[in-house]
Amino acid sequence: MCDRPLVAASDRAAERVLEQEHLLTTLLAERDGLLAVLDRVLALKGTARLLRDAAGADAGFVADLDGPERAVIRWLAGNRTDSLQDLVVPKGQGIGGRVLALCRPVRVSDYVSSPSITHQFDGHVSREALSAMLAVPVLDDRPGSSTIVAVAYAALRGPGEFGDDAVSAVQRVAVDAARALRLADRAETSRTTAVAAERARMQASLHDSVGAMLFSIGAQVRDLRSALPDNPMLRTRLGRLECDVSAASRALREALLALSESSPERALPIELAEHCRSFSARTGVPARLVQLGVVDPLDAERTNLLVGAVREGLLNVEKHAGASTVVVSIGPVDGGVQVAVADDGGPPGEDAVECTDGAGLGVRMLAERAARLGGRVSLVHDEDGGTTLRMLLLGPARVESR
């Protein structure tokens, strides 16, 4: 009598465990499905399998666009070899290239003998023993768009051909694939935005805490040095300490720059304006950017070098200029781009301590790198006590023509 309730409770517990396991399995399956939609690679891998199944084919594969004039076959289902993997298909060549050119479905009953396509890829297709083949464009799913974002294929081994029903089925898969790619791109944008927001938060936190602390220590050391004119030994030691603080500040700026997630495609004036704002917040010295003309986008190497020149110029001002204002300028000059950092302070005093820790680019290193790109660097101490660092870089076309 006493055992029955225990047995019933045990049965109910077992039932709950099974229900929980079923629920977990369902949730995991839904998660996997969602990930397949929100991840571009998973979406296209799944599309290759769907193409094969929808058309009743032996193989399905997807070519992703690699520029406006060619596609690359990257995702396959039902393949026997790697002959088609990463195959580049230029516009107009083969069945996929014909789809790129015509922006409509193309089908052949026997690939290697078809008179309607070119035959650069007959060897690849023969190694897979494929015969009939169908390819359709995957179009951007935005309303009114006719842009091809991928090419979807289905293929048979042995005799056969693709009828209108197969074409319609593959086109439906292509529509779903376009929607999945669009969602994946949006998800990637959201992930990128979230990462950028977290980087910005960390950057602001480091700047407001560690950056402010280092600036305060440096200012106190400088004040102490100036208050002890009759103790050369102590002044030298304080100078070395000031140099160490400056090195720590540079290391922090390197970390902040990495967190800023700058990219070569970013507009150079925007990048320089951010450095001006950071310099002003860090030192209390006003710094403003003046754009002297429209600057065309540059490649990564030139962009990074011009940004490095401005960073070095602002660093020199922070170290020893005693400036009350700084002007950073950028503009087109002599077929290239010039940046300049000008301050109204003075050159280093006689008691300035040379920092040799190797941090930063340094004016000499900047000049060497600029020379390799057909540019030049100058550091001029003005008669009124100010200093100007300039860098001029020519564009790639101008350098090649010299």
Side-chain angles (χ1 to χ4, degrees), residues 247-287:
S249 297
R250 286 195 297 273
L252 176 64
R253 284 194 294 275
E254 293 288 343
L256 295 179
L257 182 64
L259 287 173
S260 69
E261 204 176 27
S262 62
S263 65
E265 294 77 15
R266 235 175 137 186
L268 184 57
I270 296 176
E271 185 86 2
L272 300 185
E274 290 186 359
H275 282 284
C276 289
R277 286 193 292 270
S278 177
F279 171 85
S280 297
R282 186 173 64 251
T283 65
V285 178

Side-chain angles (χ1 to χ4, degrees), residues 1 180 183 185 201 203 250 252 356 397:
M1 296 289 293
L183 289 173
D185 289 342
R201 186 195 66 77
Q203 185 184 25
R250 286 195 297 273
L252 176 64
T356 58

